[in-house]
Amino acid sequence: MITTAPHLTRRPKGLPRPRRVLRLLVASGIVASALAVAPPHPQASADARAVTTETDGKVGKDGKDGKDGADNVLTVAVSQSVDSLSPFLAQRLVSTSVHRLVYEYLTNYDAKDARPIPGLATAWTPSADKLTWTYTIRKNSTWSDGRPVTSADAAWTFNKMMTDPNAATANGSFTANFRKVTAPDPETLVIELKKPQANMTALDVPIVPKHVWEKVGDFSKFNNDKQFPVVGNGPFVLTDFKVDQYIRFRPNKTFWRGAPKFDELVFRYYKDGDAAVAALRKGEVSFVPNLTPAQAAALENAENIKVNDAPGRRFFALATNPGARARNGGRFGSGHPALLDPVVRKALFHAVDRKTIVDKVFRGHAVEGEGYIPPRFGPYFWKPDTTRRIAYDPAMAAALLDRAGYRKNSSGKRVGKDGKALDFRILCHATDPNDKAIGKYLQEWWGALGVGLKVDCLDNVSDPWLKGDYDLAFDGWSVNPDPDFVLSIHTCSALPATPRDTGATDNFICDKQFDELYAQQAVEYDATRRSALVRQMQSRLYDTGFMNVMAYPNALEAYRTDQIKSITTMPEAAGNLYGQDGYWSWWSAEPAAAGGSSSGGGGSSAAVAIGIGVSVVLVIAVGVLTSRRRRASADDRE
């Protein structure tokens, strides 16, 4: 996918991104007494000093981008470029991951089973008609510049998104149904809705400090990347950033849950995956995500390296351009008109062998794809019955193309009634080996049908994607515990307002029946009924034939056990580490070396020590999702 995402950053390629046995989130956790639970992790004593560490932006002599004086540095290799450090604009996985570390959300997801737990809010209660939600804001949260966090910060964040379209770029779907947001006192936040909203305990919106952000002028241009340290209230403080070089963090000593144990966290850029793996072997980085099966196999028996192979939260899809359009009716882009014919799309999908993709490209580290939501999210998982399944059937594909009027000429090329050959382009992420490998298979399979395919592997797929200048594209999203967001990117309201604007859409799908189902699930609090509606939405998306979900890749990642003693996966049983719905992995990570920075931050009772010899138990987790869009590389998000 192109992970752009609005939550994918431009939406497509995000990681994605299969996963395990979790209990379905009760759509909104309506019982107040059950919601006002204490955090599952013990709160450590807080250091009274605010974190205001300045950095010089220089790379340390050890090559780790570490800061002088940092005894323990946790270095994470990343390949995706930051689209924005503004939480109002960021859509890529790497960017939204940064914001989960720097800012608190009203609620968080439990690392064990993804149920909603307190974040900035310690409790929440809906009115009888579910149109008014009252949140209690915690007293023991402070901004990293020393000022207290209050309900006024949350109210300002939401109101800004409600009144400024530019501030709603990344997460506007969460506030579109808000009627009014107020802060009657420092510890009380009240959100009034126009109609019931099922994701009120899963509002994945970073709360920002009003006293800092109210000074911003144009939210469409402010990227929050010029002044450091960035003021936040999460477990880490963002202290430095260099485009496509590194993102640097220090522990927030006043974080209410306890400070992280490493002295410094660094996201270090590697455009080439093999270079990142080589750095891991040499100890220059602590952790590498998004491994290829070959890389994972090569690291399996490496000294001091642990490979984590778990069901992922991402899908890998083939998306077609349905005719890029805006809400005002304006058409744009250069999508091939033949793909507007559902028979042609179905023929192409019949010529995609998903089993071969899983076996040969992912080498078994994936599950065959069908529905939009990975099997990790059990209650929402859907697959077509055998009578509707678009299975690999080249003969059927050929017959469908014949029926659509695209017959082979004397040269074996499919041509239309106008005599033009049936040739397509597909957007491919230059840094994603899976895109390239599958592109070659598609050229082979479709070539046998007489269909031409040019694989355009680009460093930046976002620009042509946004402009509608593509025929097909490799698409992917990471799915979170509530499905609303990842579903919203296919609604008509997500289209750009005009051809000159940027919308929140994944790939310009607009279908009235899908929209009607989306509206129904959005207000359905009953978990069983809502799950049924979400499955109906996937069924409709499947039938329209604009997307073909080919696989649900596993999370393949590795870390050095001589640098990381223990770390928390999500979910607790056989979960992923990178791109979590929360901050558990990096917040809980404990240095292997004795005498590391601790500052009193107690370990999580839910933490999973994934050290040497600890095996990963494969469990299929159930959950709920909320995805974020990524478009730049295979780890786009969310």
Side-chain angles (χ1 to χ4, degrees):
M1 130 191 205
I2 286 181
T3 271
T4 282
H7 298 58
L8 259 185
T9 191
R10 199 247 142 339
R11 300 67 247 135
K13 210 90 210 135
L15 215 261
R17 350 210 55 267
R19 295 96 197 213
R20 90 230 56 282
V21 199
L22 304 174
R23 173 160 304 226
L24 168 62
L25 292 177
V26 179
S28 47
I30 299 175
V31 181
S33 60
L35 296 172
V37 295
H41 307 285
Q43 179 181 338
S45 59
D47 188 321
R49 294 174 297 113
V51 176
T52 56
T53 304
E54 296 288 352
T55 60
D56 56 14
K58 297 179 181 178
V59 178
K61 293 180 180 180
D62 60 359
K64 288 187 178 182
D65 292 331
K67 184 70 179 123
D68 292 342
D71 296 326
N72 291 296
V73 180
L74 174 57
T75 307
V76 177
V78 297
S79 60
Q80 188 183 49
S81 296
V82 167
D83 53 338
S84 178
L85 288 179
S86 165
F88 298 97
L89 300 177
Q91 299 169 337
R92 293 182 181 173
L93 180 59
V94 67
S95 309
T96 55
S97 295
V98 166
H99 295 139
R100 284 191 178 275
L101 300 177
V102 176
Y103 304 101
E104 275 273 53
Y105 298 9
L106 288 181
T107 61
N108 206 330
Y109 300 103
D110 190 278
K112 182 178 182 179
D113 57 9
R115 65 187 174 86
I117 59 173
L120 180 58
T122 59
W124 44 93
T125 307
S127 60
D129 60 6
K130 309 299 187 296
L131 292 178
T132 301
W133 286 72
T134 302
Y135 298 82
T136 301
I137 303 301
R138 70 174 55 256
K139 301 177 182 179
N140 59 337
S141 179
T142 58
W143 297 112
S144 54
D145 62 2
R147 298 182 61 162
V149 181
T150 71
S151 59
D153 296 299
W156 185 90
T157 299
F158 291 128
N159 277 305
K160 188 63 181 179
M161 294 170 63
M162 294 162 61
T163 57
D164 185 343
N166 293 320
T169 299
N171 299 307
S173 64
F174 291 110
T175 59
N177 181 47
F178 287 11
R179 181 187 300 280
K180 184 180 181 181
V181 181
T182 57
D185 62 62
E187 297 170 21
T188 305
L189 177 74
V190 179
I191 300 178
E192 298 178 30
L193 306 173
K194 300 172 185 176
K195 56 186 177 182
Q197 183 168 323
N199 64 353
M200 293 303 289
T201 60
L203 297 173
D204 288 341
V205 176
I207 303 302
V208 302
K210 175 185 176 182
H211 65 280
V212 173
W213 284 84
E214 65 183 355
K215 301 172 185 176
V216 175
D218 187 347
F219 272 66
S220 70
K221 298 178 180 179
F222 183 73
N223 284 311
N224 198 30
D225 58 359
K226 297 295 187 292
Q227 185 172 349
F228 298 96
V230 171
V231 178
N233 66 330
F236 291 89
V237 177
L238 176 57
T239 58
D240 200 7
F241 166 68
K242 290 293 183 293
V243 176
D244 290 349
Q245 293 184 45
Y246 59 79
I247 311 170
R248 185 175 292 151
F249 309 84
R250 287 280 183 171
N252 181 355
K253 301 295 185 179
T254 64
F255 185 52
W256 67 272
R257 218 184 269 277
K261 302 174 184 65
F262 274 87
D263 297 320
E264 188 172 36
L265 170 66
V266 177
F267 286 1
R268 185 176 176 189
Y269 284 83
Y270 289 86
K271 184 176 180 180
D272 181 76
D274 289 333
V277 170
L280 181 73
R281 286 183 177 275
K282 291 185 290 185
E284 294 176 353
V285 299
S286 314
F287 177 91
V288 176
N290 305 324
L291 297 174
T292 65
Q295 290 168 340
L299 292 172
E300 196 66 49
N301 297 314
E303 185 178 4
N304 295 325
I305 291 177
K306 173 69 179 180
V307 174
N308 187 38
D309 182 1
R313 50 182 285 244
R314 177 182 180 75
F315 65 78
F316 189 98
L318 186 63
T320 62
N321 184 343
R325 55 178 157 170
R327 293 200 302 272
N328 69 354
R331 296 275 180 172
F332 57 97
S334 58
H336 200 299
L339 291 174
L340 299 179
D341 186 341
V343 177
V344 173
R345 298 195 299 271
K346 188 173 183 179
L348 294 178
F349 293 169
H350 267 302
V352 175
D353 187 349
R354 292 189 294 271
K355 186 176 187 304
T356 290
I357 289 174
V358 169
D359 293 344
K360 301 298 185 181
V361 177
F362 293 104
R363 298 190 185 184
H365 298 277
V367 176
E368 281 189 53
E370 289 178 310
Y372 189 62
I373 295 173
R376 168 172 175 168
F377 304 100
Y380 296 126
F381 179 63
W382 172 88
K383 60 188 305 180
D385 58 41
T386 54
T387 61
R388 295 171 56 204
R389 185 170 181 265
I390 304 177
Y392 179 57
D393 189 340
M396 173 65 75
L400 288 171
L401 288 176
D402 287 339
R403 187 186 312 168
Y406 293 93
R407 298 183 177 277
K408 287 186 176 181
N409 60 17
S410 58
S411 301
K413 293 285 295 183
R414 294 276 175 180
V415 296
K417 295 178 181 179
D418 57 3
K420 294 182 178 179
L422 199 60
D423 291 321
F424 299 116
R425 306 158 296 171
I426 185 168
L427 282 176
C428 156
H429 298 79
T431 58
D432 191 337
N434 295 324
D435 282 13
K436 297 176 182 178
I438 295 173
K440 291 180 179 179
Y441 276 113
L442 293 178
Q443 287 178 318
E444 175 186 339
W445 296 329
W446 293 356
L449 287 176
V451 175
L453 180 66
K454 178 184 178 184
V455 181
D456 290 328
C457 291
L458 309 173
D459 288 332
N460 176 15
V461 299
S462 295
D463 288 345
W465 190 296
L466 288 170
K467 295 176 182 177
D469 289 332
Y470 67 98
D471 300 326
L472 303 110
F474 291 111
D475 193 0
W477 286 79
S478 291
V479 176
N480 295 344
D482 189 278
D484 186 85
F485 179 86
V486 74
L487 298 173
S488 73
I489 61 178
H490 293 307
T491 59
C492 298
S493 62
L495 296 173
T498 72
R500 293 190 299 270
D501 297 314
T502 298
T505 183
D506 180 22
N507 62 320
F508 305 102
I509 292 175
C510 176
D511 177 72
K512 182 178 180 181
Q513 186 173 331
F514 182 89
D515 274 21
E516 291 174 349
L517 290 168
Y518 174 79
Q520 292 178 49
Q521 69 80 32
V523 301
E524 181 55 71
Y525 286 100
D526 181 87
T528 300
R529 289 195 292 268
R530 188 178 183 218
S531 296
L533 288 167
V534 169
R535 290 193 293 271
Q536 288 181 53
M537 294 179 70
Q538 295 178 79
S539 175
R540 178 59 184 171
L541 193 62
Y542 188 87
D543 288 343
T544 57
F546 290 117
M547 294 185 67
N548 178 20
V549 177
M550 297 181 289
Y552 310 112
N554 282 11
L556 276 177
E557 47 199 11
Y559 65 92
R560 293 198 62 93
T561 55
D562 57 351
Q563 294 184 22
I564 302 175
K565 180 180 180 180
S566 66
I567 191 169
T568 299
T569 58
M570 184 179 184
E572 187 176 70
N576 58 289
L577 293 166
Y578 183 77
Q580 294 182 352
D581 297 303
Y583 42 64
W584 308 118
S585 55
W586 314 134
W587 171 77
S588 70
E590 183 177 346
S597 170
S598 180
S599 68
S604 163
S605 61
V608 179
I610 310 181
I612 301 176
V614 178
S615 59
V616 176
V617 180
L618 296 179
V619 182
I620 294 199
V622 173
V624 219
L625 36 77
T626 209
S627 130
R628 255 135 220 241
R629 224 185 289 250
R630 351 144 194 124
R631 170 126 28 214
S633 74
D635 66 346
D636 292 337
R637 184 195 174 64
E638 208 190 332

